Amino acid sequence: MQKVPTRKCLVSNKTFPKKELFRVIRTPENKVVLDITGKQNGRGAYIHKDPISIEKARKTNVLSRILEVEVPDEIYDRMYKFLDV
């Protein structure tokens, strides 16, 4: 039986399986990218895949604080596109 990797959501502060979270990274060039593969190089931060968490992250600006760089609105818009809603 394989161990399921878990990560903590920045918004809810709860632990989820890695596949249930979006990974947003700051690349070495200080660009912010939505990492769909979960394997890109860079400083990562995780947000749960639900509209409430995404909206709360946008309002509280938690990603900008953690990644120490301004996160554009396009990142949040792309997260909404990947939701199964």
Side-chain angles (χ1 to χ4, degrees):
M1 198 156 152
Q2 268 189 327
K3 181 181 174 188
V4 177
T6 60
R7 301 291 184 267
K8 189 182 282 189
C9 173
L10 291 175
V11 176
S12 65
N13 213 20
K14 294 180 183 176
T15 304
F16 295 98
K18 192 175 175 183
K19 292 186 180 210
E20 293 181 17
L21 300 164
F22 286 116
R23 181 171 188 244
V24 181
I25 63 165
R26 181 189 71 210
T27 64
E29 297 83 27
N30 282 338
K31 287 184 162 186
V32 178
V33 180
L34 183 60
D35 181 14
I36 300 304
T37 64
K39 297 179 181 181
Q40 286 185 320
N41 189 23
R43 170 86 171 125
Y46 294 89
I47 301 292
H48 190 243
K49 290 182 178 179
D50 72 82
I52 296 168
S53 294
I54 296 170
E55 196 54 41
K56 194 168 183 182
R58 183 185 295 216
K59 287 180 182 176
T60 60
N61 223 9
V62 67
L63 285 174
S64 295
R65 285 196 314 263
I66 296 297
L67 297 176
E68 298 174 345
V69 67
E70 189 63 35
V71 177
D73 281 338
E74 293 87 42
I75 297 295
Y76 299 106
D77 296 337
R78 284 195 63 209
M79 283 186 212
Y80 278 116
K81 288 181 185 175
F82 282 104
L83 288 178
D84 298 331
V85 177

